[in-house]
């Protein structure tokens, strides 16, 4: 029989903690109730992603927010594995919107750490170019007509670009470094 | 009751690669007396941009809502993702005065203002609530008796409960009831409400493939001859990606995945060609022989 490895708990240094982080988070739409998470683990138990990924754990994310482990959270690629199915939101006995917290953290990763998975940068680029997140080829648009479907209305691109600009998104997208793929194991 | 009238919001992915859903939906809705009006102008619902900036998502969604307000008609979506962002944004901005003021600040830059005068519905709720089961039942000319199928409603047509609040997310019945109206049997299976996995496929393929494979396993184990969806993303996960899932796990499913209006359309007497069944990746040849 092989000897079981001794469990060494990961060390959290006090200077890593941002004690005000949870207050900042709880002012954001969707993350208001992060402080009342009592770590029951319902979110992780019911999370379809956690079943197949060894390191996506919604309960841990909520705890890390409470502890103020901001940098560890924002630099952790696991953040991008949530599929936003909202099962955790509907099941939380405390009414904590875990998926909302994850979304707030993703927004912060973009803003504070300039990190974004490549796919979203591409979708945003298509949206700014065509109004749709996919670049629909001319042949497709032609096929619509052949299939008897009405032509796709043209997007008012000027307005879409204005929205990217006034929400600060265009600037954020210019700065981001992209993450190609996220490992789940 | 007056005839239901909706602005059809097709979103991005349907015109991009799933016209079969739009074609079949338009056919059955027209015959059921639902009048569809084209969006005069629209853009992505905003959903995929929520990961980048929440205000961006809300404002892109609100722009579409403002367009619909101007026309003065409610929006019907075919996509669960579009339903999620448009319905949620509509409800949040109607309720949260402070947030509405903030988003209206952005919208002012493009000469728009969110007023909160319209509603947003998904196809399955238009069918169940506006058309009604009685009318659909009466429109079934060729009951699909003997056909055994299963359903996958998908997440965003049900969750989060506080914004959708129509069907029970833990035990959804709307799509099942709609399927049963066609004469087909709708089978229960394990973990029906589990996500398809598609939303993260752009960042990681392993997890979504395992999720979808498990779903296909469960659906097959109860003897379903097809899986019925009402969302283009779920459909892509199970239909378009089925050959890839088969290769990854060295399994053969050969399970046809039909958009709900395709199933209903067959029962209403439309031909497979009229419903664009030939556009499915997994060919429903056997299935069509069964209902001949």
């Amino acid at each position: 029989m092989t000897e079981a490895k001794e469990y060494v708990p990961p060390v959290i240094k006090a200077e890593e903690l941002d004690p005000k982080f949870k207050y900042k988070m709880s002012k954001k739409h969707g993350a208001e109730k992060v402080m009342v998470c009592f770590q029951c683990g319902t979110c992780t138990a019911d999370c379809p992603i956690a079943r197949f990924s060894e390191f996506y754990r919604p309960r841990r994310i909520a705890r890390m927010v409470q502890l103020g482990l901001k940098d560890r959270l924002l630099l952790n690629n696991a953040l991008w594995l949530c599929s936003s199915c909202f099962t955790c939101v509907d099941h939380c006995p405390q009414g904590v919107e875990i998926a909302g917290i994850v979304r707030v953290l993703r927004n912060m990763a973009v803003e504070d750490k300039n990190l974004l998975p490549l796919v979203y940068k591409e979708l945003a680029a298509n949206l700014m170019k065509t109004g749709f997140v996919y670049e629909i080829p001319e042949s497709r648009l032609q096929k619509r007509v052949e299939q008897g479907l009405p032509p796709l209305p043209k997007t008012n691109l000027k307005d879409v670009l204005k929205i990217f600009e006034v929400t600060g998104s265009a600037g954020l997208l210019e700065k981001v470094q992209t993450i190609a793929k996220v490992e789940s194991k | 009751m007056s005839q239901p009238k909706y602005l059809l919001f097709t979103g991005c992915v349907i015109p991009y690669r799933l016209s079969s859903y739009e074609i079949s939906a338009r056919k059955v809705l027209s015959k059921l007396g639902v009048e569809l009006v084209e969006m005069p102008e629209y853009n992505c619902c905003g959903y995929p941009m929520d990961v980048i900036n929440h205000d961006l998502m809300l404002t892109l969604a609100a722009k579409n809502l403002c367009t619909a307000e101007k026309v003065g008609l409610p929006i019907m979506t075919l996509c669960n993702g579009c339903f999620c962002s448009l319905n949620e944004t509509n409800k949040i901005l109607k309720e949260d005065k402070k947030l509405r003021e903030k988003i209206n600040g952005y919208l002012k830059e493009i000469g728009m203002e969110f007023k909160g005068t319209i509603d947003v519905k998904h196809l399955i709720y238009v069918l169940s609530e506006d058309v009604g089961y009685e009318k659909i039942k009466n429109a079934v000319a060729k009951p699909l008796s003997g056909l055994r199928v299963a359903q996958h409603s998908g997440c965003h047509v049900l969750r989060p409960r506080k914004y959708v609040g129509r069907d029970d997310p833990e035990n959804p019945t709307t799509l099942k009831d709609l399927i049963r109206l066609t004469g087909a049997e709708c089978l229960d299976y394990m973990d029906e409400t589990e996500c398809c996995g598609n939303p993260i496929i752009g960042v990681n393929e392993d997890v979504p493939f395992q999720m979808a494979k498990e779903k296909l396993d469960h659906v097959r184990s109860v003897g379903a001859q097809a899986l019925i969806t009402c969302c283009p993303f779920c459909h892509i996960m199970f239909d378009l990606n089925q050959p890839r899932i088969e290769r990854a796990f060295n399994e053969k499913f050969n399970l046809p995945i039909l958009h709900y209006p395709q199933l209903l359309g067959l029962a209403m007497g439309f031909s497979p060609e009229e419903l664009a069944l030939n556009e499915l990746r997994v060919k429903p040849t056997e299935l069509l022989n069964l209902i001949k």
Side-chain angles (χ1 to χ4, degrees):
Chain A
M1 209 176 90
T2 51
E3 206 176 312
K5 265 191 190 162
E6 191 193 347
Y7 175 70
V8 183
V11 177
I12 296 170
K13 290 184 183 144
E15 60 261 34
E16 256 191 89
L17 306 174
D18 176 354
K20 296 254 167 69
F21 189 56
K22 60 186 174 195
Y23 305 122
K24 195 179 161 195
M25 284 290 292
S26 61
K27 286 202 176 64
K28 301 271 187 183
H29 180 241
E32 293 92 340
K33 297 186 82 176
V34 66
M35 284 189 281
V36 300
C37 167
F38 54 28
Q39 292 289 294
C40 69
T42 301
C43 50
T44 295
D46 294 350
C47 175
I49 305 294
R51 288 179 51 217
F52 296 107
S53 162
E54 282 163 27
F55 63 70
Y56 182 73
R57 295 288 179 268
R59 169 169 63 174
R60 191 184 298 162
I61 290 174
R63 188 66 186 140
M64 285 169 80
V65 171
Q66 291 174 334
L67 287 171
L69 286 163
K70 184 183 167 186
D71 287 348
R72 281 203 201 195
L73 276 164
L74 301 188
L75 298 171
N76 190 341
N77 277 351
L79 212 52
W80 304 100
L81 288 177
C82 167
S83 76
S84 320
C85 73
F86 302 119
T87 307
C88 53
V89 174
D90 279 351
H91 290 189
C92 177
Q94 287 286 85
V96 180
E97 295 175 47
I98 300 279
I101 292 168
V102 171
R103 193 252 307 138
V104 172
L105 291 168
R106 286 172 169 180
N107 288 182
M108 282 184 180
V110 174
E111 195 172 351
D112 296 354
K113 306 289 177 197
N114 302 325
L115 286 173
L116 182 70
L118 176 64
V119 58
Y120 299 118
K121 190 170 183 180
E122 290 172 346
L123 294 175
N126 288 336
L127 176 44
M128 288 194 278
K129 196 172 156 192
T130 68
F132 307 108
V133 286
Y134 305 102
E135 207 176 338
I136 306 170
E138 197 53 43
S139 57
R140 278 266 156 196
L141 298 174
Q142 190 54 42
K143 199 174 168 200
R144 282 182 69 83
V145 182
E146 287 159 21
Q147 288 175 319
L149 293 171
L152 217 55
K154 278 249 183 292
T155 304
N156 185 334
L157 271 182
K158 202 172 95 283
D159 287 355
V160 168
L161 290 172
K162 191 82 191 166
I163 290 174
F164 271 84
E165 186 197 313
V166 294
T167 56
S169 313
L172 292 173
L173 284 161
E174 269 172 35
K175 277 191 294 181
V176 292
Q177 295 185 335
T178 54
I179 307 164
K181 292 280 169 193
V182 172
E183 296 299 320
S184 52
K185 286 192 177 84
Chain B
M1 206 181 94
S2 66
Q3 180 172 293
K5 194 170 172 183
Y6 282 87
L7 274 167
L8 177 65
F9 192 91
T10 52
C12 306
V13 74
I14 293 171
Y16 178 53
R17 62 201 316 188
L18 280 179
S19 327
S20 52
Y21 190 13
E22 185 183 344
I23 290 168
S24 54
R26 283 181 188 271
K27 287 261 158 61
V28 300
L29 288 168
S30 157
K31 202 158 178 184
L32 290 169
V34 178
E35 191 184 335
L36 296 181
V37 179
E38 305 310 312
M39 288 287 293
E41 184 268 339
Y42 77 97
N43 49 265
C44 161
C45 70
Y47 179 82
M49 298 296 108
D50 205 20
V51 304
I52 299 170
N53 182 337
H54 192 46
D55 283 358
L56 173 64
M57 184 285 277
L58 291 171
T59 316
L60 287 169
K63 174 176 170 287
N64 291 320
L65 295 168
C66 290
T67 303
E69 286 179 354
K70 225 170 172 180
V71 179
L73 284 174
I75 286 177
M76 183 188 77
T77 76
L78 301 177
C79 170
N80 286 10
C82 299
F83 175 67
C84 180
S85 57
L86 297 178
N87 178 59
E88 200 170 311
T89 303
N90 199 32
K91 290 203 172 166
I92 295 171
L93 296 187
K94 277 184 187 182
E95 286 162 17
D96 189 333
K97 198 168 163 267
K98 234 175 102 188
L99 195 58
R100 184 171 68 233
E101 276 170 13
K102 186 181 181 192
I103 301 304
N104 269 336
Y106 297 133
L107 290 169
K108 206 176 165 197
E109 300 278 338
I110 58 168
M112 283 181 160
E113 188 194 354
F114 175 87
K115 296 193 178 77
T117 54
I118 58 133
D119 281 319
V120 179
K121 268 193 191 179
H122 184 281
L123 167 74
I124 67 166
Y125 299 124
V126 170
L127 288 171
S128 65
E129 294 169 10
D130 297 1
V131 178
Y133 294 149
E134 202 55 42
K135 193 165 180 185
I136 299 173
K137 208 172 171 181
N138 291 336
V140 170
K142 226 180 110 189
L144 309 174
S145 326
L147 194 65
R148 286 171 293 130
V149 303
Q151 60 79 40
H152 169 84
S153 302
C155 303
H156 297 152
V157 78
L158 303 165
R159 300 188 194 280
R161 187 195 288 264
K162 78 168 184 178
Y163 294 128
V164 180
R166 291 184 189 274
D167 203 343
D168 178 1
E170 308 310 327
N171 184 19
T173 53
T174 306
L175 187 54
K176 285 186 176 177
D177 291 341
L178 288 171
I179 288 171
R180 289 181 182 127
L181 294 174
T182 68
E185 193 183 339
C186 187
L187 304 165
D188 298 328
Y189 64 94
M190 213 170 110
D191 293 337
E192 285 180 15
T193 56
E194 292 274 294
C195 169
C196 69
N198 196 328
I200 60 161
I201 203 160
V203 295
N204 175 294
E205 281 187 350
D206 298 341
V207 173
F209 274 19
Q210 288 179 78
M211 290 163 77
K213 191 254 178 191
E214 189 183 77
K215 171 94 38 179
L216 292 170
D217 270 339
H218 291 167
V219 169
R220 180 172 62 178
S221 71
V222 295
Q225 292 153 324
L227 179 66
I228 311 302
T229 63
C230 60
C231 168
F233 288 99
C234 304
H235 191 271
I236 285 175
M237 201 59 217
F238 300 125
D239 180 56
L240 214 57
N241 285 333
Q242 199 178 121
R244 295 178 66 200
I245 293 164
E246 288 179 332
R247 277 197 300 278
F249 296 95
N250 199 20
E251 289 244 12
K252 205 81 195 136
F253 288 105
N254 201 23
L255 183 74
I257 316 293
L258 268 64
H259 308 292
Y260 174 71
Q262 290 185 316
L263 185 81
L264 177 60
L266 288 171
M268 286 167 71
F270 287 106
S271 72
E273 294 74 32
E274 285 175 295
L275 301 164
L277 266 99
N278 55 326
E279 293 203 359
L280 299 176
R281 172 65 61 90
V282 181
K283 299 297 169 208
T285 321
E286 272 177 54
L287 187 93
L288 292 175
N289 284 335
L290 282 171
I291 58 169
K292 241 175 206 163

